[in-house]
Each structure stands twice: as C-alpha cells, then as structure tokens.
Amino acid sequence: MNRTVAIVGRPNVGKSTLFNRLIGERKAIIDDISGVTRDRIYGDLEWNGMQFDLIDTGGYVTYTDDVFEKAIKEQVKIAIEEAKVILFIVDVSTGITDLDDSIADMLRKSNKKVLLVVNKVDNTKRLHEISEFYSLGFEELFPLSSISGSGTGEILDAIVENLPAEEKLENEDKAYDDFDEDEEKEPEIPRVAIIGQPNVGKSSMVNALMGEERNIVTNVAGTTRDSIHSTYNKFGKEFTLVDTAGIRKKTKVSENLEFYSVIRAIKAVEEADIVMIMIDAKTGLEAQDMALFKLVQRRKKGILLVVNKWDNVEKETNTMRDYEEQLRVKLAPHNDIPILFTSVLEKQRIFNVLNLLFDIFSNMKKRIVTRELNDVMLKVIEKTPPPSYRGNMIKIKYITQLHAKNPTFAFFCNHPKYLPDNYKNFLKNKLRESFDFKGVLINLIFKEK
C-alpha cells in the first residue's frame, strides 16, 4: 500500500524546514544557502491514526548553471512516479518564478494529488499576497509558516484525507478459536526484502541463494539502482526476494538515482512480510542501520539481522559471542531478534538464512489457542499483578489472540486505560518467553470487560 508523500519545489523555499516541522525533529541541516546538503531525507509520522512516509527532495542537486533546472525537473518526475501525494512548496516572499511555473506544469499533467503549500506566510500582509499562487492551477492552497508551524495541521489533515485507508482483515476482531482453517487466506509465499547500506553484500546474497547472477555486483557502493525481484523455489522452500538499492547516509547522496532508490527501498519494506537487514561486520551497527531497524519495527515486519563479511574480522575464541552481545545491547529491548553471521564470499552460513526466514514466517502465522494462552498468562498475571491506579484494582480477566497479519493479543480488563506502559511491556516480554516469537513484533490490545 503506497503511503508515500514527497515534498518538491525549487531550492530555498523551505522544504527542509517543513520536513523537520512535520516529523517533529531537527533531522536536517538547514541554511539560507540554496541547495545546502542535508543528512536525512526521509521520515515517517502518524496523524489522526494513519502512518505514512515523508520524502524530502531537497539537497539532491549539484547547483550549477548547466544542470540546475534539469535536475530539479528530474526530481519532480521521480516524485510523480513514486509518491501518492505531492506537497509542492512555493515562497510567498519571492512570488512565482519561472521554475515554479515549470514544476507546476509538470505536476498538473500528472494524475497525482498535489497540495500547493505557500510557505513563509508569517504575517497578515503576506497572507493577502498568496492569492496570486492560484494562477498555478491547483484547487487547494495552504498558507504555511514552517518556522512557527502555523498551518501544518491543515496540511496534515489534507494529506491523510488523500491517502488510502488501512486495509482491515475480514474477521480481524475475532479470536482464532472462532473461525475455521478453511476461512483463512494466508499469503502463498512470504515476501522478503533485503535492505542495508550500500556495498554490504545484498546483491551477492541474492546471487548466492539463487545460484545465478541476478544482480550487477561490483565493489562500487550503490551499484543496485532499482529493486530486483527474484523467486526462490528450491529444496521445498519458496519465497520472493527483493534486493533493494542501498540506503546511503544523506551526506553521500548526490544523485537523483539515489533518491529514487530510497523511495523504492521504503516501498519494498512496506510490501514485505520479512525484512533482512544486512550490515558490514567491520563497521558494525551504525546509526543509519538503527534508523532502518526502527523503520522496519514501526511497520511491524518480521526482522532478521545478517552480519555479512564475517571473514574480514580477526577472530578469537569468543569473538562471535561478544559481537552478538554488543549488537543486542544496541537492539534492546528487542533481544530475541535472530542474528546470523555470514560471509557471502566464502559461502559461510548462507543457507542458514533460509531456515531462519521460514522460522520467522512460521512465528508470524503462529496461533495460540485461548485456553493455552490463559493457562500461561493468567498465572503470570496472578504472580505479578498490575499496579493499582488511585485505589482502583486492575484485573485482567482473560486473553485471546485476534485474527491479524501480525500476532495480536487482546487483554480484557476492567480499567484498560490505567495500565502503565511498563506493565504492558512486561506482558509482552512474558508472551515472548512463554511462546516462541523470535524475529516477530507482537501487538497487544487492551479492551474493557
């Protein structure tokens, strides 16, 4: 499901400032110099219960007289192709420029939803000046001061209105005990997305598994420009592999092709059931890898962490154990994510990947019958009951697993809104201890009974 929103516009109209304002963090370097390079180009956010990805096209252009306008237009073409909603940013203080007209002409010819955002509307005088931008030919116009935040709520409301609603499974609120096996419709084969920074060995991993050269593999980071789909069907196992283009740190992104690759990688995560995050054993788990991990986590996908190029590491007796312990400290509290050490070059533990992928997929589909679930969890709750709230005893009466894409458990109690987050995390950890959910993110729902 495509819920990608792209911010487009000529340089220095406030794209980065709006991006930071919407995601609520100062992720980008902002300067008055046109075309300043930033270190973050995507984020995800939630508004009125809907999650979506926000992509900023700023900072991708080498601003010279020769490539300036051409490169801007190329960004807009990519946004038109990949995004569901486009935020077209203009600047009220400069009025409509020739480049604004050129971008608007391209956007009008597309069939995508375009929200025209007039930025730097910081006073009443400028508010009266925005009417000239209706001449660009868009129905909806949103005045904005991205510095103060005035107008962002209306923009977010409009974005959500134009994005597809969450698909709800039939019988999603029913317990697993309440429907027959024949009524279920599980995916025929799992979809596995492989993501990671450039040159960690993603394409080589696909080639090793497939036994053929499906992807161009070189020592140059970023060789894979597009998402390449490969179907694996050997030894009684079948699934679809998606080798996504590497997501670079923003300081290294300088080509429109890289911008295209970032969007495709995020979409691949959205479409996948399981995501394999590959890291380089020499560099370890970097901040960019953690950003990818959090992206996958928020999308509630199955996760497998693969530490590749293990042959490049000097080893002692407990090197692997110590390395894994350091990784789990960084991944805490998600301590049961499978971690596999591989060398694609030396063909070390390559096919262990297959077993782990299917273990994770099996855990995603795992069902715990209500009786067994209550036998285990009610004993845990009796031993460690939830804390009272203002003298009110909170009693959890029973638990059931719901029919959902991810393992989802409903806890029925008398005061669900008073349950503290630390106790909810305690229950989630006990579920993981009692039933094997390695590599899978589980959801807890608390309902009043």
Side-chain angles (χ1 to χ4, degrees):
M1 183 185 300
N2 185 6
R3 286 196 193 143
T4 302
V5 179
I7 302 176
V8 303
R10 59 183 173 82
N12 211 31
V13 293
K15 297 190 297 295
S16 296
T17 308
L18 176 60
F19 173 84
N20 292 330
R21 171 67 61 178
L22 292 180
I23 65 172
E25 304 174 46
R26 189 176 176 84
K27 293 288 187 183
I29 300 170
I30 303 172
D31 199 292
D32 289 335
I33 300 172
S34 178
V36 68
T37 302
R38 302 177 303 103
D39 59 3
R40 180 74 184 269
I41 52 118
Y42 72 91
D44 61 5
L45 62 154
E46 182 176 337
W47 186 257
N48 288 343
M50 179 177 289
Q51 284 190 330
F52 58 92
D53 296 300
L54 187 66
I55 310 292
D56 185 359
T57 59
Y60 284 92
V61 181
T62 303
Y63 295 117
T64 68
D65 293 336
D66 294 332
V67 301
F68 177 76
E69 188 170 341
K70 179 181 178 182
I72 289 286
K73 289 181 178 179
E74 186 63 28
Q75 290 177 15
V76 178
K77 287 179 182 177
I78 296 170
I80 289 172
E81 181 179 350
E82 295 296 329
K84 188 70 175 179
V85 175
I86 298 171
L87 300 183
F88 176 26
I89 315 298
V90 292
D91 183 352
V92 69
S93 65
T94 60
I96 299 174
T97 67
D98 291 341
L99 190 51
D100 289 331
D101 273 326
S102 180
I103 296 172
D105 186 54
M106 295 174 63
L107 293 174
R108 283 195 305 269
K109 293 176 181 176
S110 74
N111 58 356
K112 295 298 175 73
K113 182 64 180 180
V114 178
L115 304 178
L116 179 60
V117 178
V118 184
N119 194 21
K120 305 183 183 180
V121 183
D122 303 318
N123 52 52
T124 305
K125 179 178 180 294
R126 287 187 171 182
L127 183 62
H128 293 310
E129 293 172 354
I130 68 173
S131 57
E132 74 165 297
F133 290 93
Y134 280 109
S135 65
L136 291 174
F138 299 102
E139 293 180 4
E140 297 181 88
L141 187 150
F142 297 88
L144 170 74
S145 173
S146 55
I147 295 293
S148 68
S150 174
T152 52
E154 290 79 3
I155 294 171
L156 287 167
D157 286 341
I159 290 172
V160 169
E161 287 176 7
N162 289 283
L163 291 175
E166 184 75 42
E167 293 180 0
K168 187 174 181 180
L169 290 178
E170 187 180 357
N171 302 319
E172 185 173 351
D173 294 329
K174 293 177 66 176
Y176 270 134
D177 301 10
D178 296 336
F179 59 86
D180 298 328
E181 289 281 339
D182 294 338
E183 293 180 14
E184 295 182 73
K185 293 183 179 179
E186 298 288 350
E188 292 183 3
I189 60 174
R191 292 176 58 87
V192 180
I194 303 178
I195 67 173
Q197 297 192 55
N199 211 30
V200 295
K202 300 183 301 299
S203 296
S204 298
M205 175 67 78
V206 173
N207 293 338
L209 291 172
M210 303 299 297
E212 54 191 86
E213 294 290 325
R214 293 298 299 266
N215 298 310
I216 301 170
V217 180
T218 71
N219 292 324
V220 180
T223 304
T224 308
R225 295 297 190 183
D226 206 350
S227 296
I228 301 173
H229 298 258
S230 306
T231 300
Y232 182 96
N233 190 357
K234 297 179 182 179
F235 311 110
K237 298 178 188 279
E238 184 178 5
F239 57 91
T240 299
L241 275 172
V242 180
D243 175 20
T244 59
I247 301 182
R248 291 174 174 240
K249 293 180 182 177
K250 181 59 189 74
T251 51
K252 297 180 181 178
V253 174
S254 59
E255 303 176 51
N256 284 320
L257 285 173
E258 294 289 355
F259 165 58
Y260 182 74
S261 298
V262 167
I263 296 181
R264 292 297 297 266
I266 294 172
K267 288 176 67 177
V269 170
E270 193 77 40
E271 296 171 5
D273 301 305
I274 305 167
V275 178
M276 185 193 307
I277 302 176
M278 293 189 69
I279 65 172
D280 189 323
K282 292 287 285 185
T283 58
L285 195 65
E286 298 183 308
Q288 187 77 2
D289 301 310
M290 287 303 299
L292 293 176
F293 171 76
K294 291 176 181 177
L295 171 70
V296 177
Q297 179 192 20
R298 285 190 289 267
R299 294 294 179 271
K300 296 181 173 61
K301 307 295 182 178
I303 303 178
L304 169 62
L305 180 62
V306 174
V307 184
N308 192 33
K309 304 186 181 182
W310 189 241
D311 55 306
N312 291 337
V313 176
E314 294 183 7
K315 303 172 188 66
E316 297 178 358
T317 304
N318 297 318
T319 301
M320 185 180 293
R321 184 199 66 185
D322 295 342
Y323 197 109
E324 182 173 341
E325 287 179 355
Q326 293 174 8
L327 288 177
R328 295 205 180 278
V329 169
K330 292 183 178 181
L331 294 172
H334 307 283
N335 294 321
D336 59 352
I337 290 172
I339 299 175
L340 184 64
F341 295 83
T342 67
S343 169
V344 176
L345 186 64
E346 301 292 334
K347 302 294 190 292
Q348 292 178 356
R349 305 180 193 89
I350 296 300
F351 291 97
N352 290 3
V353 170
L354 299 178
N355 295 328
L356 283 173
L357 288 175
F358 276 88
D359 287 346
I360 294 171
F361 193 60
S362 176
N363 289 342
M364 293 179 71
K365 300 189 295 179
K366 180 175 292 184
R367 305 172 182 177
I368 312 299
V369 296
T370 300
R371 183 175 64 181
E372 181 183 0
L373 190 60
N374 283 269
D375 286 345
V376 173
M377 292 305 296
L378 289 181
K379 289 179 183 177
V380 170
I381 293 168
E382 183 180 1
K383 184 177 179 179
T384 309
S388 60
Y389 179 80
R390 295 183 179 178
N392 295 317
M393 296 296 295
I394 301 175
K395 296 181 179 180
I396 298 176
K397 300 180 180 180
Y398 72 96
I399 310 106
T400 188
Q401 185 175 1
L402 302 180
H403 177 43
K405 291 180 180 179
N406 292 83
T408 302
F409 299 90
F411 287 72
F412 292 86
C413 57
N414 55 344
H415 299 295
K417 62 182 179 180
Y418 297 144
L419 271 172
D421 289 339
N422 60 350
Y423 192 77
K424 293 177 182 179
N425 290 332
F426 164 77
L427 293 175
K428 188 176 292 187
N429 291 335
K430 287 299 180 180
L431 271 170
R432 289 188 171 280
E433 289 179 17
S434 304
F435 309 99
D436 183 11
F437 285 109
K438 288 180 181 177
V440 178
L441 297 169
I442 61 177
N443 304 320
L444 303 188
I445 298 173
F446 296 87
K447 297 185 176 182
E448 188 169 359
K449 180 71 174 179

